[in-house]
Amino acid sequence: MNIQVLRNVFARNERAAAENREAFDARGITCVNILGGAGSGKTALLECVLPQLARTLRCAVLEGDLVTTRDAERIAAVGAPVVQLLTDGGCHLSATLVQKGVESLPLEELDLLFIENVGNPICPANFELGEHLRISVLSVAEGGDKPSKYPLLFKDAALVVITKCDLLTHSNFDITAVSRDIWRINPTAAVVTTAAFTGDGIDQVVEWLIAAHRARRPLVAPANV
Ligand code: MG
Ligand code: ZN
């Protein structure tokens, strides 16, 4: 692939991402791109936060995967509208694929749109989808060296969720040291520790999401008042 072709791929993606963001902004939707390696706990995190968020916000999920609909089925089971995006083996989601998926969602009735990216700590970070916020997910089981090894995954995250913290006693994962590594790459990232199995930390993620949505929503007074 020559450099010009690569440039065109990125330019087309950026155009579609800008269009997606415009469509979300026009409807007051906050779009959250969830990134993390395979098995980091992205789907489990969504399974935990969606039922709680549903009391306050109208949520939907675009579920990225290579070939299966297994994660989308898990999201549907907790009652959230979900659209499966299959990359057909591709290792990241593109803004154009998101654009197609969004067509099947009731955009007028949404506050928060989650995009669960393909499980991959590397290239999804290079492709903007039109999101307003990124959440990076890192599990205790993956090991504490990941922020240093995959800095791009953490560089633009507004929130880093450390998952599977119920396994801390069975590992040498050091929350303090890992947080320091995250903040070296991204000084403003919020870091929350969670365990989907026990429910620990899930409230904090829910509160963070509600606050993030409220902070973004433009406070425009109706013109005719
Ligand atoms: Mg998943
Ligand atoms: Zn890729």
Side-chain angles (χ1 to χ4, degrees):
M1 193 184 261
N2 69 37
I3 288 169
Q4 188 54 47
V5 173
L6 203 60
R7 240 180 237 140
N8 289 344
V9 167
F10 280 115
R12 195 172 58 228
N13 188 74
E14 266 168 40
R15 221 165 24 245
E19 287 166 8
N20 290 344
R21 195 172 290 118
E22 264 170 50
F24 302 146
D25 285 342
R27 295 165 177 88
I29 296 172
T30 302
C31 179
V32 181
N33 186 2
I34 304 181
L35 307 161
S40 56
K42 299 181 294 301
T43 313
L45 179 67
L46 281 171
E47 284 176 308
C48 291
V49 297
L50 283 167
Q52 290 197 44
L53 281 171
R55 296 178 209 141
T56 318
L57 300 173
R58 302 163 298 174
C59 302
V61 181
L62 293 176
E63 188 55 62
D65 259 305
L66 280 70
V67 286
T68 76
T69 58
R70 293 180 63 149
D71 286 359
E73 287 159 23
R74 287 168 60 187
I75 298 300
V78 295
V82 57
V83 174
Q84 181 72 58
L85 306 176
L86 290 179
T87 62
D88 210 11
C91 50
H92 60 266
L93 287 180
S94 67
T96 41
L97 191 55
V98 166
Q99 211 155 36
K100 281 196 204 106
V102 159
E103 286 172 12
S104 315
L105 284 174
L107 280 192
E108 308 299 336
E109 294 157 29
L110 290 184
D111 300 307
L112 208 50
L113 172 62
F114 292 100
I115 304 173
E116 182 183 334
N117 220 306
V118 174
N120 174 352
I122 306 172
C123 62
N126 292 315
F127 291 85
E128 277 205 49
L129 305 178
E131 72 272 25
H132 301 100
L133 299 164
R134 287 185 174 183
I135 295 181
S136 296
V137 179
L138 166 66
S139 73
V140 166
E142 287 172 282
D145 56 350
K146 296 304 174 286
S148 301
K149 289 176 82 168
Y150 304 107
L152 264 187
L153 175 61
F154 300 91
K155 190 173 77 60
D156 297 320
L159 172 67
V160 176
V161 180
I162 300 176
T163 60
K164 311 191 190 185
C165 287
D166 47 334
L167 301 179
L168 275 171
T169 50
H170 305 284
S171 84
N172 58 3
F173 193 101
D174 179 343
I175 298 273
T176 310
V178 172
S179 301
R180 207 183 302 129
D181 283 349
I182 292 167
W183 288 323
R184 200 174 295 137
I185 299 157
N186 179 349
T188 59
V191 177
V192 175
T193 55
T194 64
F197 248 51
T198 59
D200 285 342
I202 298 302
D203 289 358
Q204 272 173 279
V205 178
V206 169
E207 280 163 28
W208 186 91
L209 284 162
I210 293 171
H213 174 66
R214 291 195 171 142
R216 242 191 47 72
R217 197 165 46 183
L219 299 166
V220 180
N224 57 348
V225 176

